[in-house]
């Protein structure tokens, strides 16, 4: 049998990752064999051969139904043998596989589930991951294409081993895939299938409501591979039944820890160190956004040194050694850097951007008010805690959410929208007033503005298209800084990404 290279790779994947059941043609099915029972696929004298554990000699591949991934036919000494791939079995422990193999393993199981559970008249055309050769879309999630009558549906599935932290990237990747499918000649409709394992869909509910139904209609499906279940859910109904109040932790009334050692260090490094409050109970002394000294209280034993765990107690180092280390860290945290690859220079670039921004936020937008600007704002809701970079107020009391990214990330927009949605809910429900934010200030009861900040040419290439799927009343602006922003930043280009202003 002649197989393309892609078909051969698919056959090798099925043999290595799937349990199989083998039977002689016309005979009773044999016992279930574990993944890897069929192995040694190779070409001999122009024919593909494979070995099956417990069977005599190699068998020749006669045909393979790879489009539906159901099985293949082999020819052995005793005649024709039929192999059934049991793609719905959890027979291979994913933890023992590499990331690419885990994805392929779940691609097979998701494909088997969809073939069984899709409504009558629908047929699965594609269930697979991996980046395409032209790098048009992400390979981190399972892309789906379903045919229903004469029309097609695009979709994407989040894998069971991907948690809530992957949801922002998943939503962006799903819309990029949706747009790609709509650009093809096939008749793809406005529906977008979004498959979530277990309860991870809860982290996407709010953001799905921000999409413009005239451009894309998300259909939410929850799946359970082990139980063989696929259930379509109503996002709007879930939001009504699972109303999750938002609260904002307010720490402005807590003063900075008054520590005599900290005061000495600030006098010693006035141009490099800043005493900053954090969303936690500790403060830190930071050099251009890089935390160097963690301050837990007023005593010397309340100080910890380092920018990552495990932190060193101040007493273990002593004054001279600690000051020498701080001096070196501050020297490395400059631009141009003496050592460009050193961790002290490369770590926390967004916090460096935040440090520079807050020195004069009006350069980002002349209407923003520095006296009503908060950094590292924690917002709580039933789905967890999120910390947004900067929250401020613009002209007329309109809230502004600012999200900073130093490098290209396809999750930027939907991560920022998670913060934006919490702020919008907090404004409508009075959470800010209850938490002590903007005390005495009249806030405008309209959707906040969303400002995305990246260095020039570092925004994701699909960012504009992703923003076009949002409701028009959500004002999104991209502000790009000069590439050498560490030496002194300035806005180079402002691009409205949505019609709402």
């Amino acid at each position: 049998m002649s197989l393309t290279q892609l078909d051969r790779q698919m056959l090798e994947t099925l043999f290595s990752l799937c349990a199989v059941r083998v039977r002689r043609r016309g005979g009773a099915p044999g016992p279930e064999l574990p993944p890897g029972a069929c192995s040694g696929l190779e070409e001999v004298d122009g024919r593909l051969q494979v070995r099956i554990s417990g069977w005599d000699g190699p068998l020749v591949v006669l045909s393979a139904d790879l489009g539906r991934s159901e099985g293949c036919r082999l020819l052995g000494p005793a005649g024709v043998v039929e192999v059934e791939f049991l793609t719905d079995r959890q027979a291979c422990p994913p933890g023992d596989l590499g990331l690419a193999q885990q994805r392929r393993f779940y691609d097979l199981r998701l494909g088997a589930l969809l073939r069984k559970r899709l409504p009558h008249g629908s047929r699965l055309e594609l269930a697979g991951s991996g980046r395409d050769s032209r790098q048009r879309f992400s390979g981190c999630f399972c892309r789906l294409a379903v045919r229903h009558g004469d029309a097609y549906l695009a979709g994407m599935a989040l894998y069971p081993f991907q948690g809530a932290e992957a949801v922002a990237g998943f939503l962006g990747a799903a819309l990029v895939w949706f747009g790609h499918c709509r650009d093809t000649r096939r008749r793809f409709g406005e529906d977008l299938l979004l498959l979530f394992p277990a309860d991870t869909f809860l982290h996407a509910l709010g953001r799905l409501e921000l999409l413009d139904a005239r451009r894309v209609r998300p259909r939410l499906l929850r799946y359970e591979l082990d139980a063989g279940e696929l259930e379509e859910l109503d996002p709007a109904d879930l939001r009504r039944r699972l109303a999750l109040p938002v609260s904002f932790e307010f720490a402005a009334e807590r003063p900075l820890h008054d520590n005599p050692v900290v005061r000495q260090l600030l006098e010693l490094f006035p141009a490099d160190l800043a005493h900053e409050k954090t969303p936690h109970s500790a403060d830190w002394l930071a050099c251009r956004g890089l935390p160097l000294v963690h301050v837990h209280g007023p005593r010397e034993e309340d100080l910890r040194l380092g920018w990552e765990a495990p932190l060193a107690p101040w007493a273990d180092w002593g004054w001279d050694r600690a000051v020498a280390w701080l001096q070196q860290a501050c020297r490395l945290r400059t631009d141009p850097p003496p050592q460009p690859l050193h961790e002290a220079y490369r770590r926390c670039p967004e916090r460096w951007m935040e440090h520079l921004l807050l020195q004069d936020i009006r350069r980002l937008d002349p209407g923003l008010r520095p006296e009503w600007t908060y950094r590292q704002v924690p917002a709580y809701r039933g789905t967890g805690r999120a910390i947004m970079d900067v929250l401020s107020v613009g002209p007329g009391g309109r809230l502004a959410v600012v999200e900073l990214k130093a490098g290209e990330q396809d999750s930027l927009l939907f991560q920022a929208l998670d913060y934006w949605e919490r702020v919008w809910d907090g404004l409508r429900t009075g959470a800010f007033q209850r938490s002590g934010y903007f005390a005495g200030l009249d806030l405008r009861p309209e959707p906040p503005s969303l400002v995305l900040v990246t260095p020039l040419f570092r925004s994701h290439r699909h960012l504009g298209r992703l923003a076009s799927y949002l409701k028009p009343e959500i004002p999104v602006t991209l502000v790009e800084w000069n590439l050498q922003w560490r030496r002194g930043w300035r806005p180079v280009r402002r691009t409205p990404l949505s019609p709402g202003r």
Side-chain angles (χ1 to χ4, degrees):
M1 177 191 179
S2 176
L3 291 177
T4 65
Q5 184 64 26
L6 185 61
D7 288 338
R8 179 170 174 172
Q9 290 175 357
M10 183 63 177
L11 198 57
E12 288 177 332
T13 298
L14 291 166
F15 281 144
S16 63
L17 298 182
C18 288
V20 297
R21 183 174 284 121
V22 184
R23 68 176 178 181
R24 288 186 173 87
R25 190 170 188 180
E32 185 174 315
L33 300 178
C38 301
S39 60
L41 185 68
E42 60 180 350
E43 187 170 344
V44 178
D45 297 330
R47 299 191 301 178
L48 279 179
Q49 296 183 351
V50 66
R51 295 183 180 274
I52 302 179
S53 178
W55 291 68
D56 294 332
L59 294 88
V60 177
V61 179
L62 292 180
S63 63
D65 185 6
L66 301 183
R68 295 178 61 82
S69 303
E70 291 182 343
C72 67
R73 295 170 62 242
L74 310 175
L75 177 63
V80 175
V81 174
E82 296 177 345
V83 177
E84 178 188 5
F85 298 116
L86 305 177
T87 52
D88 57 347
R89 301 291 198 273
Q90 193 173 2
C92 185
D96 295 343
L97 304 174
L99 185 57
Q101 284 187 310
Q102 283 192 57
R103 290 177 183 144
R104 275 180 276 177
F105 172 78
Y106 282 113
D107 290 344
L108 297 174
R109 296 195 66 202
L110 281 163
L113 175 67
L114 291 170
R115 282 191 291 273
K116 290 180 179 179
R117 299 300 182 195
L118 282 175
H120 180 71
S122 297
R123 187 180 70 194
L124 182 66
E125 296 276 318
L126 170 69
S129 57
R131 186 181 292 276
D132 72 310
S133 58
R134 293 169 58 186
Q135 298 187 359
R136 292 164 294 183
F137 35 75
S138 170
C140 297
F141 311 99
C142 182
R143 299 186 295 274
L144 305 171
V146 175
R147 183 167 185 171
H148 184 75
D150 293 333
Y152 294 84
L153 300 176
M156 188 161 283
L158 188 73
Y159 292 115
F161 60 85
Q162 295 169 322
E165 67 280 356
V167 169
F170 169 75
L171 294 175
L175 285 172
V176 171
W177 170 242
F178 171 79
H180 168 76
C181 291
R182 296 267 288 166
D183 288 342
T184 64
R185 294 183 180 180
R186 288 184 172 184
R187 294 181 295 279
F188 280 88
E190 290 82 10
D191 288 359
L192 171 62
L193 304 178
L194 297 173
L195 276 67
F196 291 88
D199 295 330
T200 52
F201 67 86
L202 292 171
H203 300 272
L205 286 178
R207 281 168 280 189
L208 293 182
E209 288 191 341
L210 304 180
L211 298 177
D212 187 350
R214 296 170 299 180
R215 303 219 49 209
V216 56
R217 292 193 298 265
R219 292 174 56 184
L220 181 63
L221 294 96
R222 176 182 179 272
Y223 71 86
E224 290 281 357
L225 287 176
D226 294 341
E229 297 176 352
L230 182 69
E231 175 189 13
E232 184 162 0
L233 306 172
D234 182 351
D237 180 61
L238 285 170
R239 284 277 286 177
R240 285 191 297 270
R241 292 191 291 110
L242 301 174
L244 302 173
V246 178
S247 64
F248 294 85
E249 177 187 286
F250 185 61
E253 294 180 352
R254 176 182 71 79
L256 291 166
H257 293 301
D258 185 13
N259 189 297
V261 176
V262 170
R263 291 200 302 269
Q264 287 180 277
L265 293 174
L266 290 172
E267 292 176 1
L268 193 60
F269 300 95
D272 295 311
L273 295 184
H275 192 183
E276 299 175 351
K277 195 173 299 177
T278 74
H280 316 288
S281 59
D283 309 331
W284 65 39
L285 280 181
C287 177
R288 289 172 276 281
L290 180 66
L292 299 178
V293 182
H294 296 251
V295 187
H296 294 266
R299 303 168 302 171
E300 183 176 300
E301 51 264 39
D302 294 324
L303 303 180
R304 302 288 186 274
L305 290 165
W307 53 69
E308 64 180 350
L311 302 176
W314 179 275
D316 289 358
W317 281 30
W319 174 267
D320 291 339
R321 182 184 174 194
V323 168
W325 179 79
L326 288 170
Q327 188 173 29
Q328 181 187 29
C330 293
R331 182 179 63 85
L332 293 169
R333 188 78 168 173
T334 56
D335 199 87
Q339 297 181 38
L341 300 181
H342 197 281
E343 282 290 288
Y345 177 76
R346 299 176 62 189
R347 286 183 71 90
C348 308
E350 281 84 24
R351 290 211 181 116
W352 196 334
M353 294 178 70
E354 177 188 299
H355 167 78
L356 295 174
L357 173 68
L358 294 182
Q359 288 181 339
D360 187 2
I361 196 170
R362 284 197 174 101
R363 293 173 63 190
L364 184 67
D365 185 330
L368 294 177
R369 301 172 64 177
E371 71 274 19
W372 294 111
T373 297
Y374 302 90
R375 55 175 292 276
Q376 296 295 297
V377 179
Y380 299 85
R381 121 176 312 160
T383 51
R385 183 179 196 249
I387 298 179
M388 64 192 77
D389 290 338
V390 176
L391 178 63
S392 188
V393 172
R398 186 176 197 174
L399 289 176
V401 179
V402 182
E403 180 66 11
L404 305 116
K405 281 290 180 287
E408 179 179 326
Q409 291 191 16
D410 55 4
S411 63
L412 169 59
L413 178 61
F414 281 94
Q415 180 180 333
L417 284 171
D418 181 36
Y419 308 146
W420 183 94
E421 188 226 346
R422 293 173 191 241
V423 170
W424 180 218
D425 279 356
L427 179 63
R428 290 182 292 182
T429 60
F432 287 111
Q433 289 77 6
R434 291 193 303 272
S435 302
Y437 282 80
F438 306 109
L441 184 66
D442 290 331
L443 300 176
R444 283 167 60 180
E446 62 179 316
S449 61
L450 177 59
V451 183
L452 309 176
V453 179
T454 69
L456 195 63
F457 310 124
R458 296 295 186 267
S459 61
H460 194 269
R461 60 190 179 280
H462 295 299
L463 184 59
R465 183 165 197 172
L466 292 176
S468 72
Y469 291 116
L470 300 178
K471 291 180 177 178
E473 60 265 26
I474 303 175
V476 184
T477 302
L478 172 66
V479 179
E480 295 172 280
W481 288 6
N482 54 309
L483 290 175
Q484 294 182 330
W485 54 268
R486 290 177 178 86
R487 304 181 189 180
W489 71 276
R490 57 184 175 84
V492 176
R493 184 164 59 191
R494 299 176 188 270
T495 309
L497 298 181
S498 62
R501 296 296 295 158

